[in-house]
Amino acid sequence: MPAESLFLWLGSLSILVLVASVVALPWLVTRIPEDYFCHPRRAPASWEPAHPAVRMIFLVLKNLLGFVLLSGGFILLFVPGQGLLTMAVGLLLIDYPGKFALERRIVAIDPILKGLNWLRRRRGVGPLKTHPE
């Protein structure tokens, strides 16, 4: 593959990821409950009683979206876009051991929390709380 084609594909991919993150990121950030990070353990999801097949399809789609956002966020670190925020939301969607502890540490980073709350404020949603009141 010639270098020109590679750069064309990478440029197209970065534009696609930028557009997808601009559309998806604010919506996903507003879906996080305000007190999500206040609890010592993650609260069970409200859809837990759903049929196992429905739950499995949802988990696969949610994890797939998380990996896409995580990968796209990494790309956005090197091209214009909200790379760290996109990666943070991707990590919120993917299921893995120790996820909640990592989420709390990431959101405790002041610039990330400010960025998430800025997106929430623009959508008219209350800020994320990182400790119980």
Side-chain angles (χ1 to χ4, degrees):
M1 177 181 285
E4 292 174 2
S5 295
L6 179 62
F7 286 125
L8 180 63
W9 278 105
L10 286 175
S12 300
L13 180 62
S14 71
I15 290 170
L16 178 67
V17 170
L18 175 64
V19 170
S21 71
V22 167
V23 171
L25 193 60
W27 179 79
L28 290 170
V29 168
T30 58
R31 305 283 301 154
I32 303 169
E34 287 181 19
D35 64 346
Y36 182 78
F37 299 105
C38 292
H39 309 289
R41 296 185 60 169
R42 188 176 71 128
S46 60
W47 53 271
E48 289 291 331
H51 189 276
V54 171
R55 220 173 36 233
M56 182 60 66
I57 291 169
F58 177 78
L59 284 173
V60 167
L61 292 175
K62 179 177 76 81
N63 282 299
L64 183 61
L65 177 61
F67 280 114
V68 167
L69 288 173
L70 185 61
S71 302
F74 182 75
I75 292 169
L76 290 173
L77 291 175
F78 305 102
V79 298
Q82 300 172 342
L84 291 177
L85 288 175
T86 304
M87 290 174 71
V89 173
L91 287 171
L92 288 172
L93 290 173
I94 300 170
D95 292 316
Y96 50 88
K99 172 185 168 184
F100 191 65
L102 178 62
E103 290 173 350
R104 289 179 64 160
R105 278 183 281 180
I106 290 171
V107 170
I109 298 170
D110 196 48
I112 291 178
L113 181 61
K114 284 182 180 179
L116 292 170
N117 284 334
W118 177 79
L119 285 172
R120 292 172 66 86
R121 189 172 46 252
R122 288 191 65 207
R123 292 285 182 121
V125 178
L128 292 171
K129 299 174 184 128
T130 56
H131 51 79
E133 293 182 9

